[in-house]
């Protein structure tokens, strides 16, 4: 895995076993959808953001939030479609744009979306891709499915890096610095870069297929270059990954 989203730091969440971390992520994602008060969901999301700030830093946490900001803006613009019941907060030409029910539904959606994106980002940025794939294989995920996930986890950051490199190289070819601002306006300026990224992606197909063939893809009796630690050594990690979501789920359901 030449390129991935892993951030090399040394915080306690990094030392957590990837199998327990994956289990913890799945259980917390399920807790997010339990029937509870939206205030409880806000506190849960806030606690997760504090965990993210302490483990991957302020800069990386803010970057993760900025990535999902456009989707949050779109969800906000669709606020009038979320519900019409309750007290009307704002109306225009007799049409209720913002109501109490719509705000509550919006709060739940934003909380859940932010929570899921943050906890998945924590998993991806604190776990090496190879360890994550080994953890999935330990849970008896078929090899073909693990391969698809590993390719996606590798190629998506690679294409994102290619997009940035191509964009920078195109900006260096501009005769005047002022033209860069003009090219950034609208979506037309991004078309040449996107076409270049597509060309690079198509050319990488043969390289990827040759790399898979050299690594013995499709052969029987596959072996692993490295293995995860024995479960007995990291058993407390599994206990924590179950107890913490269980306690949070009990408190969330109790506070209804």
């Amino acid at each position: 895995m030449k390129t991935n989203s892993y951030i090399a730091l040394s915080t306690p969440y990094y030392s957590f076993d990837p199998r327990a971390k994956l289990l913890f992520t799945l259980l917390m994602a399920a807790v997010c959808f339990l029937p509870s008060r939206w205030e409880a969901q806000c506190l849960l999301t806030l606690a997760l953001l504090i965990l993210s700030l302490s483990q991957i830093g302020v800069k990386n946490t803010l970057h993760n939030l900025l990535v999902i900001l456009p989707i949050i803006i779109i969800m906000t613009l669709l606020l009038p479609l979320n519900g019409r019941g309750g007290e009307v907060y704002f109306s225009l030409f007799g049409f209720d744009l913002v109501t109490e029910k719509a705000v509550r539904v919006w709060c739940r959606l934003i909380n859940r979306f932010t929570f899921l994106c943050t906890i998945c980002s924590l998993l991806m940025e604190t776990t090496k891709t190879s360890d994550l794939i080994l953890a999935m294989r330990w849970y008896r995920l078929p090899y073909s499915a693990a391969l698809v996930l590993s390719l996606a986890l590798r190629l998506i950051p690679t294409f994102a890096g290619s997009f940035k490199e191509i964009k920078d190289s195109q900006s260096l070819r501009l005769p005047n610095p002022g033209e860069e601002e003009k090219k950034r306006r609208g979506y037309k300026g991004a078309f040449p870069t996107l076409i270049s990224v597509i060309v690079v992606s198509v050319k990488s197909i043969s390289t990827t297929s040759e790399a898979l063939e050299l690594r013995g893809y499709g052969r029987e009796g596959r072996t692993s270059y490295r293995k995860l630690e024995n479960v007995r050594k990291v058993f407390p990690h599994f206990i924590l990954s179950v107890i913490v979501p269980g306690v949070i789920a009990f408190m969330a359901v109790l506070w209804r």
Side-chain angles (χ1 to χ4, degrees):
M1 302 302 171
K2 181 179 178 182
T3 306
N4 53 38
S5 56
Y6 177 75
I7 302 174
L9 295 175
S10 57
T11 54
Y13 202 72
Y14 279 82
S15 60
F16 214 61
D17 186 79
R19 293 163 293 187
K21 199 184 302 182
L22 181 60
L23 178 61
F24 175 77
T25 302
L26 294 175
L27 291 179
M28 290 299 295
V31 169
C32 181
F33 290 94
L34 289 177
S36 59
R37 297 170 62 103
W38 68 274
E39 293 90 345
Q41 292 182 353
C42 291
L43 291 176
L44 184 60
T45 304
L46 179 61
L48 183 62
L49 289 175
I50 294 175
L51 176 64
S52 178
L53 289 171
S54 62
Q55 300 303 308
I56 62 176
V58 177
K59 181 180 179 180
N60 296 321
T61 302
L62 292 179
H63 177 265
N64 294 334
L65 294 177
L66 288 176
V67 169
I68 64 175
L69 182 60
I71 302 178
I72 294 178
I73 294 176
I74 294 175
M75 295 170 66
T76 304
L77 294 177
L78 297 176
L79 179 63
L81 303 178
N82 290 332
R84 299 289 185 84
E87 181 182 356
V88 179
Y89 295 144
F90 180 75
S91 61
L92 183 64
F93 301 114
F95 182 75
D96 299 337
L97 294 178
V98 182
T99 62
E100 181 182 1
K101 182 179 179 180
V103 171
R104 288 185 175 274
V105 173
W106 177 83
C107 288
R108 287 184 179 273
L109 291 176
I110 296 299
N111 273 314
R112 287 174 176 171
F113 182 70
T114 305
F115 183 89
L116 292 175
C117 292
T118 303
I119 197 167
C120 290
S121 298
L122 269 177
L123 175 66
M124 298 297 301
E125 294 175 354
T126 60
T127 310
K128 294 181 179 179
T129 306
S130 57
D131 291 339
L132 186 59
I133 298 303
L134 287 176
M136 293 179 181
R137 291 286 294 147
W138 186 82
Y139 284 110
R140 299 297 185 269
L141 185 72
Y143 175 74
S144 57
L147 177 63
V148 171
L149 289 176
S150 64
L151 289 175
L153 294 176
R154 179 201 180 278
L155 294 178
I156 290 177
T158 301
F159 293 154
S162 300
F163 181 86
K164 186 178 184 304
E165 292 176 359
I166 294 172
K167 185 177 179 181
D168 293 340
S169 63
Q170 289 177 344
S171 64
L172 292 175
R173 294 186 177 91
L174 296 175
N176 300 317
E179 292 186 8
E180 184 177 359
E181 297 297 330
K182 295 181 181 179
K183 290 181 70 62
R184 287 181 179 178
R185 296 175 184 175
Y187 295 98
K188 294 182 178 180
F191 285 158
T193 307
L194 291 175
I195 293 175
S196 301
V197 173
I198 292 174
V199 173
V200 172
S201 304
V202 172
K203 288 184 176 180
S204 66
I205 294 177
S206 59
T207 304
T208 304
S209 61
E210 291 175 359
L212 291 175
E213 184 177 359
L214 289 174
R215 286 162 176 78
Y217 175 70
R219 298 177 183 175
E220 298 294 335
R222 291 188 55 85
T223 58
S224 298
Y225 178 74
R226 56 184 297 269
K227 296 182 180 180
L228 297 174
E229 291 187 67
N230 194 309
V231 178
R232 295 181 180 179
K233 297 181 180 180
V234 294
F235 188 71
H237 295 184
F238 284 88
I239 298 297
L240 285 175
S241 65
V242 174
I243 291 180
V244 173
V247 172
I248 294 176
F250 177 77
M251 294 177 62
V253 173
L254 189 64
W255 187 25
R256 294 180 59 181

